[in-house]
Amino acid sequence: MHAKKRKNGSTLRTTAVTTIVFALTFGGSATAYGNEPSVGEDLVEATVATVAEHYEDLPAAPELIQGGESDKIVIGGENEGERSFTVVAPESDFVQDKFGNVTEVGDSAGSATFVDIMPSETRIITTVTTAGAAQDLDFKLQGIQDPYLVPMEDGSFKILDDEDRYVVDLGAPWAVDATGKYLETSYTLDNSVLTQKIDYTDAVFPVVSDPAWNYYLDHGLNGVVAHGKEKATPKRVMAELRRCFNCSFPVAGAPKAFPKVGQLIPLDASPFTCIVKINAAVKMNYVTSTTFAFIAAPGHFDGAGSTISFTFYNDKSGYLHLAVGAHILKDNGAVANEVNKRVASQTWLNFLGNLIRRNSL
């Protein structure tokens, strides 16, 4: 997924993201961002610099926005399979003109709202500048019917709609103060309002936080009747894969025994044996109670170091989902990339189908 940031009326159009930001400090004589700049200028410069430092291998250019109903953020919908929805972020107490000049709005500076866009990613950064402005942060989701959160093992969340259809991933919540200390924080989602609750106790301001959205390839079988295993739990699925990995995993070269972490797996992505082998060799990267992940070995057609993860979870109706997240390092060109994406999507749907048809599950 690739997209350029653009304005369309009062709506900011973006694609989806994952993020983390470390300490942001401004004000005083010890900043690294200039000699006694204004609070507004320092706020923007420090935010940009902090994000850029953390993502040295990726472009990072947080844009100060007004937020609220006047500057909504549209996430997704530009790529096949993505759901589009709108986020109404907290209003900013700062505005920035086309020349980059930053001014405060109102009697006192309270918080600033930024959007940061990288390829395939979008994050909304909120900087609370003073203790007097400390509050929980609300993000209103529009365009999704009765969304709800499904917690994941790594602290992230899936957002699904009232029909248990996947909408988007939400990164694990975080908030960090000016000293780099991470604060206790959590999410709730009620009546289409995502609230980030932050414990500001003993925090040194400013405090930066960042709800972040990222799209996964997600296969669900709600409403599909196969052999009564559509509601299997991740625990049962992982046990079945340990019983016989290649009984369900749909790529040639997969071993019968569940691979150990670090084990080389000589997968062959060729659709038929008569075709020249397509090297898809991987190593098992890590395993949890709900997830396993591969990292591409040298010679892999996606590029060595590319990663792919497979996570199983149940929606609120109990149906099993398979979420697949991939980070591809090699660009094979637009046509080849699209073909690979379509083939991969069908392959992982087959993987889920193989599992729920196993009598041993």
Side-chain angles (χ1 to χ4, degrees), residues 156-171:
S156 66
F157 296 86
K158 306 288 183 184
I159 296 182
L160 278 68
D161 67 12
D162 62 328
E163 295 183 2
D164 301 320
R165 297 176 300 179
Y166 172 79
V167 178
V168 73
D169 270 57
L170 179 65

Side-chain angles (χ1 to χ4, degrees), residues 279-339:
N279 187 343
V282 296
K283 289 185 177 181
M284 181 66 85
N285 198 19
Y286 64 86
V287 182
T288 74
S289 63
T290 62
T291 302
F292 67 92
F294 296 146
I295 184 168
H300 191 290
F301 69 93
D302 278 334
S306 296
T307 58
I308 186 167
S309 64
F310 303 87
T311 298
F312 300 96
Y313 71 95
N314 298 108
D315 59 37
K316 69 177 181 181
S317 297
Y319 288 99
L320 181 67
H321 290 244
L322 168 60
V324 183
H327 178 59
I328 309 302
L329 297 182
K330 183 177 179 180
D331 186 353
N332 293 298
V335 174
N337 289 343
E338 183 61 27
V339 170

Side-chain angles (χ1 to χ4, degrees), residues 223-267:
V224 176
V225 177
H227 289 289
K229 308 299 175 67
E230 301 82 13
K231 294 188 176 183
T233 63
K235 181 178 179 180
R236 285 173 56 190
V237 170
M238 293 299 286
E240 166 59 22
L241 291 173
R242 290 184 182 280
R243 184 195 70 82
C244 180
F245 187 66
N246 65 8
C247 289
S248 300
F249 194 75
V251 182
K256 181 175 182 179
F258 191 84
K260 297 178 180 179
V261 173
Q263 178 180 335
L264 180 66
I265 312 165
L267 298 180

Side-chain angles (χ1 to χ4, degrees), residues 185-199:
T185 183
S186 61
Y187 287 142
T188 61
L189 179 53
D190 186 41
N191 292 324
S192 297
V193 176
L194 176 73
T195 299
Q196 182 169 8
K197 298 179 180 296
I198 302 173
D199 183 355

